[in-house]
Amino acid sequence: MQTKSYPKMTAILVACLLSLGWMTTAIGQTVKGKVTDEKGEALIGVNIIVKETSKGTTTDLDGMYSIEVAGANSVLSFTYLGYESKDVVVNNQTVINVTLSPDSKVLSEVVVIGYGTQRKSDLTGSVSSVKENDLLERPSPSLNQALAGRMAGVQVNNNSGRPGGRTTVRVRGFSSINSSNNPLYVVDGVMLPQGTQNQFSNAIDYINPNDIVSVEVLKDASSTAIYGARGANGVILITTRKGKAGEGTVSYNVDMSVNTTGPNKPDVLNAAEYVAVEDLAWRNMEKYDPTGWKAGKWAYLDPKLRRIDPRVWNADGSPKFDTDWFEESTQASLSQNHNLGFNGGNERTQYAFSMGYRDDQGLIKTTYMKRYSGRFTIDDQIKPWLKVGGTLSYNNQAERLSDVNDAVSRQIVEDFPFLPVKYEDGTYANNRDFPFAEGTFSSVHRLYGRQFILNTQTTLGSFYANIKLAKGLEFKSVAGVNIQTQENNQSQTRTLAIANRGEASVSNRKETFWSLENYLTYNKSINKIHNINALLGVSWQQTDVFGISGNSRTFATDYFGFNNLGAAGVIGGVGSDAAQFSFNSYFGRVNYSLKNKYLVTVTGRSDGSSKFGANEKFAFFPSGALAWRVSEEDFLKGNSVISNLKVRTSYGLTGNSEIPAYSSLSLLSSNYATVIGDTRVSGTGISRLANPNLQWEKTAQTDIGVELGLFNNRLNLELDYYYRLTTDMLLDAPVPSSSGYTTIRRNVGSMENQGIEFTVNATIVDKDKFQWTSFFNISANRNKVLTLATPSDIFNVGGPNFTNPTNIIRIGEPVGSFWGLTRLGIWSEAERAEAAKFTSYRNGLTILPGDIKYKDFNGDYAITDADRSIIGNGTPDFWGTLSNTVRFGNLDLTLDLQYSYGNEVMLMNLHPSEDRQALANSYSSVLNAWTPTNQNTMIAEVRDTRAGYVTNVDTWWIKDGSFLRGRNLLVGYNFPAETLSKLRLSKLRLYASAQNFFLIVSDKIIGDPEVTPTNQGGGNSAFSQGMIWHNYPKPTVLLIGAQVAF
Amino acid sequence: MKIKNISSAAKRFWVLLFVVVQMGCTEFLTEVAPSNLTPESFYTIPDHAEAAIASVYADLRHMGNGAGIFSANWQLLEAMTGTSTTETAQNSDLNNLYGLVHDGFTIHIRNYYIGLYRVIAQANQVIEKVPAITPMDAAQKKRILGEAQFLRASAYFTAVQLWGDIPLISKPQTASSEDFNPSRASVESVYKLIVDDLVAAEAAGLPWMDASGRVGSAAIKAQLAKVYLTMAGFPLKKGASHYKLAADKAFEVITYANSNPSVINLFTTYYDVHRESTKNKLEHLFMIQYNTSVAGNPMGNFFPNFKPVTFNGPGGTGSSVPTSAFYKSYEAGDLRAKNQEGYFYTSYFTNGNGAPFELGAPYVFKHFNQTANGFAGVAGSRNDNLNVPQIRYAEVLLIYAEAQNEVGGPTQAAYDALKRIRDRAQLTTPALGTFNANSFRELVWKERWHELCFEQITWFDMVRLRKAFNENTKGFDEFVGHTNLSSNQKLQQKHLLLPLPVPEMQNNPNLKPQNPGY
């Protein structure tokens, strides 16, 4: 083309003007001024840019600035976070004082939505958002922990006290039984793997939360349908820190913390109490097994004969030690977290660079989480019509876990108090050293003898190009990549892995994801009456997974740990596996607003997935939404009370595709192995039934919402009701096992969730030196299974599976309900004859007064499955947060309370620690066990288990877990401007925080009600919520920190 | 000019977009599983046949798989006999089996059903797919098919004895198979398949014994004898014709053993019955193979409750322990009841090889691996590679003695067979002439109880005979009304069959009716 491009012309023109200006001495015109807020207070650090140039400055501590401009036509742009930006033409002024007015926060707030952004006021869907300042108020090792309680309808359970924690996130309840219930995380436009990863972690757990500046949760179908087949569980959009134009800033955030013993620590028998209980337990054997007792069968258990080890017992049989194993297994070590950031740029190019280091030392000794992270981001307006940019981040996280199974936390309770930690010769003392006790190793021995290391490296990158094709028409192309490698290295010493004389294993799993998304957006405003915003795009995504593993056993030394598998006497198994799956999608959206009052959104996505049957690869997910900004109507405009009123409704379809690849194919397994000639021989046999018709799981969601702002938006209320119907559930549906198979992956079954979400934001006091803001939310969700593949109940979901089934999925009931017997109490002396009528549920021995009394539903005098019923559910009736922030001048105080009501917990610890004695230590609750003089109790009479005991999942294990938690109490101080200027800083904030500092629970429980078991059942961990089975104890965290910037 | 320029760029992007979109659809979503084979890509060369039969053998281990806490599936076949009890009440399903209040939900029952049909499905796959493999050595093909037929027949034999009328599936299944939702087939028709399979397997040219652990023709003949013996009794009551078949088939094995005493024989000591070095040899005609490189021996629930009898210290559960009544029912001087020399132990070495200590009660020694666990002064290898016996020559002798007696009263050969069992136990046996058919029969039965105890055989004897050994009278009670001394519960008519697993009936509407009484 002949003509020169516009930018070049501009450059020449500017150059001409500049030289002209220089000749006419107009160059160097300096503009000064002061920037203040609406109250006349100086604003510090306001960005001022001379438009169309790279010149910029910021205001000083007095709000003053000075900048050279080219001439009268120059335009100064003033921007400041939380305030509306302002452009001023210089003309001939030399002093320009500017007053910035605050963003009328809620309304003009911009939120990120799928493939774009939108003013909150224009939203038709249900979107919750959390900004950087809120995240900073609760320093957390992972994003999910920082989000807990922030948003109505988003249930974040922080289920473990270990470093790095373990969270489950449910947006508006459960949508699925066999596929994932996790939301989809999208970081700067790049999707993260959605499934549950090693040790029930999520890909988001491996990203430094300090790099995150905003989080949006898309909840209703109108906002999630743009993510089609992966939107059914909600979508969490994460925006990371970008560079800013203007003077560069350096920021450094640091915090130091200590984990201390949290609420409800286990209360166990001390040495003297234990000895007394054991004495009684032995004597009571005579009552509970009279025949055996008479035959002398239990003589060997006489405590006198067992308490003879001179290392442990005095000559008179009294214990030499009284060890507090909780004390011995825990530590109060210093944890630290450092984040260093650089941020700068000019009108054309902005960059940000950050580094982070985190070292969390767990409450339980030897456990830690260390994270090194680095991140670089750049944006460049390379041409007026072309903007490019990208982000690259790398995280390296190393964790040592002790809660990989129940062993340590359980052992802390069960270790005998009369044992020392180590004998004089330096070897560990273990319960198994005491004659005829359970053959366990001590908690401390396990802590130091077992390694379980998880090393995770995450590389997350994205690159985009944004092209202005015409006025209002833009093309954006985003290429993303997410590579996660995860090593899992384990070893056990020769003294722990006795059978193998030491064992070690390593594994590595690499998941490589790439995506390429291209889309056009079009904005058009016609006479300021019709506003149209349209989106059209196409996407390709692919994931490759490759894993390798190896193990070996029998080592001559513990020295190697897992670092030299080849040094072992027996080289064990090796394995590898690979999988690939891909998506190809087409999507579009139209937002239309009429007179800024009537808003319409229509969305559609056509998703194709490799995981589905050949004829069912593609599916279409539409949605539509309407909103009416009532407060823009004449009859409300300018109303002194109602400043904002919007009603909205949406309906749409989203999907779930989180099943393993190749689920639709007929597969053989080559992982069979048999022994021929005492040698391993591998085999190939049947594995999976084909289902060529396998397709998407669909969730249809209806949402109705109201947003109300009162008193100039000082009081904001938001209420949503939703109904979600999941159909065609991807279920491992049972088939007649006469076929040799037990399940087929099918689309059957349906489930509903309905609920309400209510949020209040209030600025209660807004004075010069005193502000008080309050935030409250409440959510309720009701889940019900509507149909399943066959009427047969589904068991073995959730729970550590060491008893009969703990959870059930049954039509008409909430998924994963607790399942068990009903404990009526303990048989009394008066009921001796009645008790004896029962078919024994105690080692074949007669049921006696002092034994547990169950409800015999069908009256057949036998306690069988017919007497089991649904006895509870781990999902709360409602839950939420109340958060208050008060500012006195430079001092601020935040109190964050979390509450949950109606969630039951299953206290499975009662099985080993209350239902049975003389094998290990017990909870001190057994001091209230049944005796002929204490018949009104729920705890069976103490007896050595070998004389017959009774233990079953029953209603006594079910407790009301409703709770109120002091989640965070934070006091902060921002140094005033004068001090900062002396220190040459732009920001200095010091703060101190106490997290999980109190807990009030409805019923007395041991541990924390917000919990899942550590060794929950395989892939169905979704239904383990509220099951207490020896979890990593949740600490009270005491933290101090500083935020510095200059 | 600006707009023009850009709109031409736009055109380029539109074209690009269009091209890319077109490219995308075809190949991108096709799926090929890299870590698994599909039936279409397998069963083409002889090695595939070997891999396929290996999977059938592998699935035999279902009997050792877990059935909830402190329990394994095989306890199903011990708990109901009344010869054993438990030292832990932790597993409510197991408690219900001991208490004879099991139902269609009891996990052991469900697992056995699934496990047996899994073996059948793997065998069906071999029987269906292997014949088409070409080229393949004809003898190898015949051998593999024979093994598959033996294993399928054995699984059906167990299933039909437990549930009576059961689905009869003899072809590999897909979701669209005609018999994917099968009805119950008659006991008669199931036995027909069992006999056909075993007869075919017998002709497969297998060696008499195979020390590698694969099935040999001695095992096939012994199994056939056992099937005939069972058909002669309840519920089919074929009587004399099948006693004759059983006796003849057993006698084929005995004849071979007599002329090849170094190939098939009784072990000289009971220790050899549970010794690693005698696996698959001499008396062990067929065993389920265990080696810790694949899986260790699954009979650990016979260990006493937290008493340190192995290198592993106090690790046992005691969830299956002999009742003292059954232990005491052995005749005085019976070597099988002698501590550590027979099938029981009442004392052992601390942590396997330390100071001896009294256990206070008898425990099952039959599956105790001294090589792995240790014994006097010798540390254990810690790898329990012991197999689980399925058919011992001792049982063949007892089958013969019992069946031959039914055909024409006690003969010398029948007497000799019985006497060999008693001789090894160091028991004197009255002269042949002192027996009549009845007294001989009861003595054979009693020997079955005492010789074959804790090998998952006794329950099937109780069902086919409708008799139960009375430990106090040393005689035999009618099945219905007999009191299991383990729980003082009476056996009822309904206990002759297990209930069909209820979820199985819910998943398959054609599977009905439920067995009576459940």
Side-chain angles (χ1 to χ4, degrees), chain A residues 300 432 469 498 672 737, chain B residues 6 118 307 312 382 504 507:
Chain A
Y300 76 98
R432 61 193 349 258
L469 298 173
I498 291 186
Y672 288 92
S737 55
Chain B
I6 290 171
R118 180 91 178 182
K307 296 177 187 176
N312 202 19
R382 308 188 186 191
E504 197 63 25
N507 295 333

Side-chain angles (χ1 to χ4, degrees), chain A residues 557-690:
Chain A
T557 168
D558 293 329
Y559 176 78
F560 300 117
F562 46 73
N563 294 312
N564 190 348
L565 291 190
V570 181
I571 306 298
V574 295
S576 68
D577 66 285
Q580 185 185 67
F581 50 93
S582 37
F583 277 92
N584 175 207
S585 317
Y586 305 87
F587 52 90
R589 175 176 60 214
V590 177
N591 287 315
Y592 168 74
S593 89
L594 175 63
K595 295 179 177 170
N596 244 354
K597 284 189 271 193
Y598 311 104
L599 313 171
V600 181
T601 303
V602 178
T603 306
R605 181 167 177 130
S606 176
D607 258 328
S609 164
S610 63
K611 287 177 183 173
F612 294 98
N615 300 327
E616 305 285 349
K617 296 279 187 204
F618 276 88
F620 183 65
F621 299 95
S623 83
L626 297 170
W628 176 28
R629 295 182 65 194
V630 187
S631 52
E632 295 298 303
E633 297 288 355
D634 291 342
F635 59 86
L636 269 184
K637 226 164 186 175
N639 185 299
S640 59
V641 178
I642 298 173
S643 40
N644 176 38
L645 176 60
K646 180 162 82 177
V647 292
R648 50 180 167 72
T649 182
S650 70
Y651 174 81
L653 208 58
T654 49
N656 192 335
S657 58
E658 284 302 304
I659 53 167
Y662 319 119
S663 289
S664 72
L665 305 179
S666 167
L667 294 179
L668 298 174
S669 166
S670 296
N671 292 352
Y672 288 92
T674 189
V675 179
I676 297 179
D678 250 334
T679 309
R680 179 193 170 93
V681 173
S682 71
T684 296
I686 60 169
S687 164
R688 178 170 278 288
L689 280 170

Side-chain angles (χ1 to χ4, degrees), chain A residues 739-810:
Chain A
S739 63
Y741 302 89
T742 51
T743 60
I744 186 171
R745 189 74 73 167
R746 273 173 66 197
N747 297 95
V748 283
S750 55
M751 180 156 73
E752 67 172 24
N753 286 275
Q754 55 185 322
I756 52 162
E757 301 159 3
F758 180 56
T759 306
V760 183
N761 267 299
T763 306
I764 296 168
V765 180
D766 191 13
K767 298 268 194 255
D768 228 13
K769 294 281 178 192
F770 178 48
Q771 287 114 36
W772 176 12
T773 56
S774 192
F775 165 75
F776 171 79
N777 69 37
I778 184 165
S779 310
N781 184 70
R782 297 288 179 271
N783 170 283
K784 189 156 94 174
V785 178
L786 300 177
T787 57
L788 291 171
T790 72
S792 70
D793 299 322
I794 299 175
F795 290 101
N796 297 321
V797 295
N801 293 336
F802 63 81
T803 57
N804 46 284
T806 50
N807 302 63
I808 183 173
I809 295 176
R810 170 176 280 184

Side-chain angles (χ1 to χ4, degrees), chain A residues 866-921:
Chain A
D867 302 308
R868 294 196 158 84
S869 60
I870 288 176
I871 54 176
N873 193 286
T875 307
D877 295 342
F878 55 85
W879 73 93
T881 291
L882 172 63
S883 180
N884 282 286
T885 301
V886 178
R887 285 177 221 283
F888 305 94
N890 293 321
L891 193 69
D892 56 83
L893 189 144
T894 298
L895 174 64
D896 212 352
L897 302 175
Q898 176 199 6
Y899 67 91
S900 178
Y901 182 84
N903 56 303
E904 271 128 4
V905 296
M906 183 185 280
L907 203 51
M908 308 190 76
N909 298 359
L910 295 186
H911 154 67
S913 300
E914 196 176 88
D915 284 353
R916 34 164 244 174
Q917 282 93 34
L919 293 175
N921 200 12

